[in-house]
Amino acid sequence: MDPKEFCIRGKQMVDYIIDYTESLDKRRKVFPEVKPGYLRPLLPNYAPEEAESFEDVIADLERVIMPGMTHWSSPHFHAYFPSTFSYPSLLAEMMITATSCIGFSWASCPAATELEIVMLDWLGKAFQLPAEFLSDSGGDGGGIIQRTASDATLMTLLSARHKTLTKLEREQPNQVNGTHLNKLVAYMSDQAHSSAERAAIIGAVRVRKLPSDEKFSMRGVELEKVIAQDKANGLVPFYLCATLGTTSSCAFDNILELGPICQREGIWMHIDAAYAGSAFICPEFRPLLNGVEFADSFDFNAHKWMRHWQIPLGRKFNSLKLWFVLRLFGMKKMQELIRLDVAMAREFEEFVHKDERFEITNEVKLGLVCFRLKGSNELNRHLFEAVNKEGKIHITSTELRSKYTLRFAICMGNTRESVRFAWEYISSKATALLSSPSEYGN
Ligand SMILES: *Cc1c(COP(=O)(O)O)cnc(C)c1O
């Protein structure tokens, strides 16, 4: 493809993207109707020997890919957590690929290295993180773009492990290989994301999952209890992963209680705020982050809500996306978008609250509402299936204290109308279900 053709195809691609994003509401179901294995029969068995035409490739996007797409940007997508894109981030994405630099050292691309440092400082300041977290404070602080929150958590666990093992080695040298490692124990709540436990498994340390309280929050008393037990058994508590905004129910661990205990015990406190982190740019939500001053590390996912020193050396110029997005939106607009999402979640909560057949099962603080029909898990499982069956809207479910629960997340394309539509849809499915209870074992 020469520059002239790229210019033409580029415009066609942009048109395609605009048509796709702006028509999601009208012409597509949010969840596809395909069965597992749908795709292979639609493709040849081998890659083509000769180049194919752009027209053919684009046509196959409609024929092969689109029928199997879950439309995350649809107004009717309320599943998982939001995953965002914006036109500014798309533009930056083009530049990232066009420059194709791999920033593994300052010299490999000074602009990429330095922009990332400054952008992460911008975000840290927008969250009002303590100065120690910032690069321009002159200390060891600073942020970095990891591929995912899971990578970030793993990195912090490995760092904490290294720090503690170095200290133990200094205090009690010449032990049999593995003696120190065998004693290390990492803590997290029973609500933590699976990536936290996986990090501990990869780090080859013991994991202790602490019971959360009635609001699904990890508390200081529980931590004190396990620390005492573990120390009595000769173990060394070294790491705690606290979650702000859990995946199941958007619950917040009590870092104001946990932090001072970790500090006293020399435990590295990591905060996983993958979803909720973006909300801290709004002053009214910032109190949820109080206690971060006790933390050693903090992660959040810009791509989940905010539109956008690690294992791999090579890094993409992803800070360019942050730069474009932060500048072309501005913090005020970003705050407005977060506030609107939270307001829509409140409205949905209100709909559920007014309907006596339902109960709310989480404390709605940001953009996630957990709810269920008052009744058996079986009944709620049937409701979940009925709601998702036709692909008109898409939600996910979870289990909270062994209660099967539906999750309604405010996601990228949602509007007040689509939220109301979703509620009416869910409500009508509930009515249909409840009118034939015997069928569903209620
Ligand atoms: C989504 C989520 C993760 C995982 O994020 P990835 O970036 O996909 O690794 C981890 N923790 C919490 C609390 C999450 O919500």
Side-chain angles (χ1 to χ4, degrees):
M1 192 177 283
D2 60 17
K4 226 170 105 193
E5 194 190 349
F6 173 67
C7 190
I8 297 165
R9 300 312 184 193
K11 284 170 187 157
Q12 286 175 348
M13 200 73 229
V14 168
D15 285 341
Y16 188 94
I17 289 169
I18 292 171
D19 179 55
Y20 170 74
T21 51
E22 302 303 323
S23 67
L24 275 172
D25 192 11
K26 285 171 229 101
R27 63 180 183 125
R28 292 169 212 272
K29 288 187 174 184
V30 56
F31 192 77
E33 270 166 294
V34 294
K35 299 258 178 306
Y38 91 96
L39 190 138
R40 189 180 282 280
L42 300 178
L43 291 184
N45 279 335
Y46 299 95
E49 289 292 334
E50 305 291 340
E52 298 186 59
S53 77
F54 185 77
E55 277 80 11
D56 285 351
V57 176
I58 283 286
D60 279 354
L61 207 54
E62 281 296 334
R63 185 181 68 94
V64 181
I65 304 300
M66 284 301 161
M69 285 294 289
T70 301
H71 299 294
W72 281 65
S73 313
S74 161
H76 303 302
F77 184 89
H78 311 284
Y80 316 104
F81 272 137
S83 164
T84 48
F85 97 95
S86 63
Y87 292 133
S89 76
L90 261 178
L91 292 175
E93 191 79 61
M94 286 175 80
M95 271 308 288
I96 294 167
T97 307
T99 53
S100 70
C101 65
I102 301 175
F104 47 83
S105 65
W106 183 85
S108 72
C109 187
T113 307
E114 297 198 12
L115 188 66
E116 185 164 338
I117 292 169
V118 178
M119 285 307 100
L120 273 285
D121 269 4
W122 277 15
L123 286 176
K125 286 172 192 172
F127 294 160
Q128 298 175 47
L129 289 182
E132 303 85 71
F133 283 84
L134 305 178
S135 166
D136 70 1
S137 69
D140 296 332
I144 193 162
I145 302 174
Q146 301 275 342
R147 267 183 325 165
T148 65
S150 309
D151 293 305
T153 299
L154 173 62
M155 272 314 298
T156 62
L157 182 128
L158 294 178
S159 305
R161 189 183 87 159
H162 175 73
K163 190 176 163 191
T164 306
L165 287 179
T166 309
K167 178 167 162 271
L168 291 176
E169 188 55 43
R170 201 170 46 235
E171 290 166 1
Q172 309 157 38
N174 308 323
Q175 303 287 311
V176 178
N177 233 350
T179 303
H180 294 317
L181 185 59
N182 274 336
K183 291 182 186 162
L184 299 191
V185 48
Y187 300 131
M188 60 203 60
S189 95
D190 54 13
Q191 300 295 309
H193 190 266
S194 58
S195 56
E197 183 175 12
R198 205 165 53 234
I201 293 169
I202 297 170
V205 296
R206 290 163 203 260
V207 193
R208 198 84 69 223
K209 287 193 185 176
L210 279 58
S212 50
D213 72 6
E214 74 287 352
K215 287 184 174 170
F216 309 108
S217 166
M218 179 164 50
R219 304 295 300 275
V221 273
E222 294 296 337
L223 180 61
E224 295 274 21
K225 247 191 258 170
V226 289
I227 290 177
Q229 270 169 20
D230 286 338
K231 281 166 68 173
N233 289 326
L235 300 177
V236 179
F238 81 108
Y239 177 85
L240 175 124
C241 178
T243 313
L244 297 183
T246 59
T247 314
S248 262
S249 67
C250 196
F252 289 74
D253 288 340
N254 193 325
I255 52 174
L256 280 169
E257 287 178 4
L258 303 167
I261 302 169
C262 289
Q263 215 155 54
R264 187 190 75 213
E265 299 289 334
I267 296 172
W268 178 303
M269 182 165 85
H270 174 63
I271 295 177
D272 176 11
Y275 161 69
S278 302
F280 303 145
I281 63 170
C282 300
E284 68 272 35
F285 301 126
R286 175 58 177 74
L288 293 169
L289 186 57
N290 288 349
V292 67
E293 57 276 14
F294 300 110
D296 294 275
S297 51
F298 169 87
D299 79 65
F300 95 103
N301 277 352
H303 61 263
K304 252 188 188 152
W305 201 354
M306 197 189 256
R307 351 239 129 200
H308 217 144
W309 304 282
Q310 59 162 11
I311 295 172
L313 286 175
R315 10 196 337 89
K316 285 286 185 179
F317 199 173
N318 281 327
S319 57
L320 200 67
K321 251 158 106 176
L322 273 176
W323 195 46
F324 268 48
V325 170
L326 291 173
R327 294 184 65 195
L328 293 173
F329 279 92
M331 291 314 283
K332 265 199 196 143
K333 182 72 190 169
M334 307 268 260
Q335 288 172 339
E336 261 173 43
L337 290 169
I338 299 250
R339 284 181 185 130
L340 175 61
D341 281 3
V342 176
M344 288 195 288
R346 288 277 146 77
E347 283 174 22
F348 187 84
E349 182 189 21
E350 196 54 32
F351 291 145
V352 181
H353 188 70
K354 281 192 186 139
D355 189 326
E356 295 207 323
R357 300 172 299 174
F358 286 90
E359 58 185 340
I360 308 254
T361 49
N362 73 334
E363 190 182 3
V364 180
K365 286 189 167 159
L366 298 175
L368 178 69
V369 184
C370 296
F371 67 106
R372 68 197 300 282
L373 278 169
K374 295 171 185 163
S376 68
N377 283 354
E378 198 53 22
L379 178 71
N380 279 286
R381 210 167 277 128
H382 282 296
L383 177 61
F384 174 71
E385 278 160 19
V387 166
N388 276 344
K389 189 166 180 223
E390 292 163 76
K392 284 197 177 152
I393 75 169
H394 196 48
I395 62 171
T396 43
S397 64
T398 187
E399 224 169 78
L400 294 171
R401 300 256 184 281
S402 57
K403 274 190 172 179
Y404 189 87
T405 290
L406 281 60
R407 284 173 85 263
F408 187 87
I410 300 296
C411 294
M412 170 169 176
N414 293 184
T415 60
R416 291 210 143 89
E417 293 73 50
S418 71
V419 167
R420 175 178 284 276
F421 173 84
W423 168 248
E424 282 164 4
Y425 191 74
I426 293 167
S427 167
S428 71
K429 294 292 172 198
T431 305
L433 250 186
L434 292 168
S435 65
S436 55
S438 55
E439 256 179 68
Y440 298 100
N442 182 35

